[in-house]
Amino acid sequence: MAASRHLLDYPRFLGRLLWMSTDGSWRFYTWMTVLTAIALVGANAYAHQLAEGMALTGMSDHVSWGLYIANFTFGVGLAAGAVMMVIPAYLYHDHEMHDVTLIGELLAIAAIFVCLLFIVVDMGHPERAWHLMPGIGRFNWPVSMLTWDVVVLNGYLVINLHICGYLIYMRFLGRTPRKQWYLPFVFLSIFWAISIHSVTAFLYSGLGGRPFWNSALLAPRFIASAFITGPAFVIVLLQAIRRFTGLPIGEGPLRTLTSVMRVTVLLNLFMLGSELFTAFYTGGSHATAVRYLFFGSHGHHALVPWIWTAVALNIASAVVVHLPATRRHVGLLNLACALAFVGVWIEKGMGLIIPGFVPSTLHEVVEYVPTLTEWKITAGIWAFGLIVLTVAVKVALPVLSGQIAASHAEHGHAGQGGETQEAKQAA
């Protein structure tokens, strides 16, 4: 009986979500039009790259990973950091965080889609991805670290899709979510969030021919930076949701996320300083790439402006977020979030991926500069990620607030006004 009811309820639920995703105010249509236009520009650039080859990019035999993998690395951190809202909500029973935890899960889903797209565009022949499929190609697991990355990324996406889908569907039906159907996956998502960024770091640090990445601190640095970008983005996102949707989001979640940032921005700078001390004080092959990154080498200094900008932004964000005025002025808090977000994006992108290839294993300095095609594709992918996030948040909030629900007569359950306190906290 219950199964047959779900066969009728779930298509109706999906139909409501589909209708809601296309309906909105003029602000929504303007925002989605701009994002769609940028995404289409990126899609057009990728079509040219697919037809003419990777020669349209600035990558070469010496620098085989560029802007795409840089953004992939950053996106993995954003996905991992977004779900850190689960930790205070479920481990420390912060009931105020319960109300916004799902927003972090939705951000994680959008970020994983972005990561997967960056992997696709970085492949010269994406149609050959079937070689990675177990049972069809040669997956080479568990020997290859790349296959570990495939497992954790796709697993993380499935876990978050299940959590969000189940909680939203139960709220649509007006029922109390059963803990056994979502709580184990919530705690699993915490472990998985740490693992996706750790595995990505191990993918780099395990390459013995790239001494710039051979550091035991790489994985901890990745986790620390993820706990900067995730909270920074969510802080701004929660304010946007509160302003444009009227959803009553309290100050508690903002204070908690800000407190996390105050610790992690300093921790990130400390670990960066530790890396620099080790490189410059001891010297060796590791210092060659670091010296090129910060000061240039043999007349080549393409990355110097990037990394010093990142350091300046990270220091500025650490100063601003610790000012007492940030507790009173939202503008200062948003400034600190923006500075931290961009600073980490540069540091983990152009400041981490590219120096691993310069100088090359043949001791040649071959510089990499992203082409216009790469920038267009990058902008298009991030625009698509924002489209996914916008639609996800737009369809989730009315269901969670009880504006959209199954009828009481059809289902025999409490509707909009009959959710228990446990159901509200679970959502």
Side-chain angles (χ1 to χ4, degrees), residues 65 67-84 104-120 145-146 148-157 160 189-204 218-219 221-231 233-234 341 344-345 348-349 352-353 381-382 385:
W65 287 348
L67 191 63
Y68 301 148
I69 298 301
N71 279 273
F72 160 77
T73 306
F74 177 81
V76 172
L78 181 60
V83 84
M84 63 78 53
E105 303 275 1
L106 295 175
L107 174 57
I109 291 172
I112 289 296
F113 275 117
V114 167
C115 294
L116 295 177
L117 284 177
F118 275 117
I119 291 296
V120 171
M145 284 303 303
L146 183 61
W148 277 96
D149 219 23
V150 172
V151 170
V152 295
L153 284 176
N154 287 280
Y156 191 61
L157 177 61
N160 284 285
S189 70
I190 299 175
F191 164 78
W192 220 280
I194 302 298
S195 70
I196 62 170
H197 222 18
S198 298
V199 169
T200 305
F202 295 155
L203 180 63
Y204 299 138
L218 196 60
R221 281 184 63 192
F222 273 26
I223 300 301
S225 61
F227 278 18
I228 296 174
T229 55
F233 193 95
V234 172
F341 194 86
V344 173
W345 179 79
K348 290 180 64 179
L352 173 71
I353 302 302
I381 292 176
W382 281 111

Side-chain angles (χ1 to χ4, degrees), residues 245-330:
T245 68
L247 191 71
I249 297 176
E251 294 297 324
L254 298 180
R255 288 195 300 267
T256 300
L257 295 173
T258 304
S259 299
V260 172
M261 278 190 61
R262 289 193 179 103
V263 175
T264 52
V265 291
L266 295 178
L267 182 60
N268 185 56
L269 286 172
F270 173 74
M271 288 193 285
L272 175 62
S274 300
E275 291 273 30
L276 294 180
F277 171 80
T278 303
F280 288 122
Y281 192 82
T282 61
S285 59
H286 178 77
T288 305
V290 180
R291 191 176 298 110
Y292 163 74
L293 174 63
F294 279 87
F295 303 108
S297 178
H298 299 88
H300 300 281
H301 46 75
L303 294 182
V304 174
W306 288 93
I307 192 61
W308 283 110
T309 300
V311 171
L313 292 175
N314 285 328
I315 293 176
S317 67
V319 172
V320 174
V321 80
H322 283 88
L323 292 176
T326 57
R327 295 176 173 86
R328 301 186 302 271
H329 301 289
V330 175

Side-chain angles (χ1 to χ4, degrees), residues 25 38 102 144 157 307:
S25 65
I38 297 174
L102 198 67
S144 172
L157 177 61
I307 192 61

Side-chain angles (χ1 to χ4, degrees), residues 12-25 27-33 35-36 386-399 404:
R12 183 181 181 184
F13 167 69
L14 294 178
R16 289 280 189 93
L17 296 187
L18 182 63
W19 174 81
M20 290 163 53
S21 67
T22 59
D23 182 64
S25 65
R27 292 186 182 89
F28 170 74
Y29 289 124
T30 302
W31 171 248
M32 294 296 284
T33 299
L35 291 180
T36 302
L386 287 174
I387 290 174
V388 173
L389 177 61
T390 302
V391 171
V393 171
K394 185 179 184 300
V395 301
L397 293 183
V399 177
I404 303 296

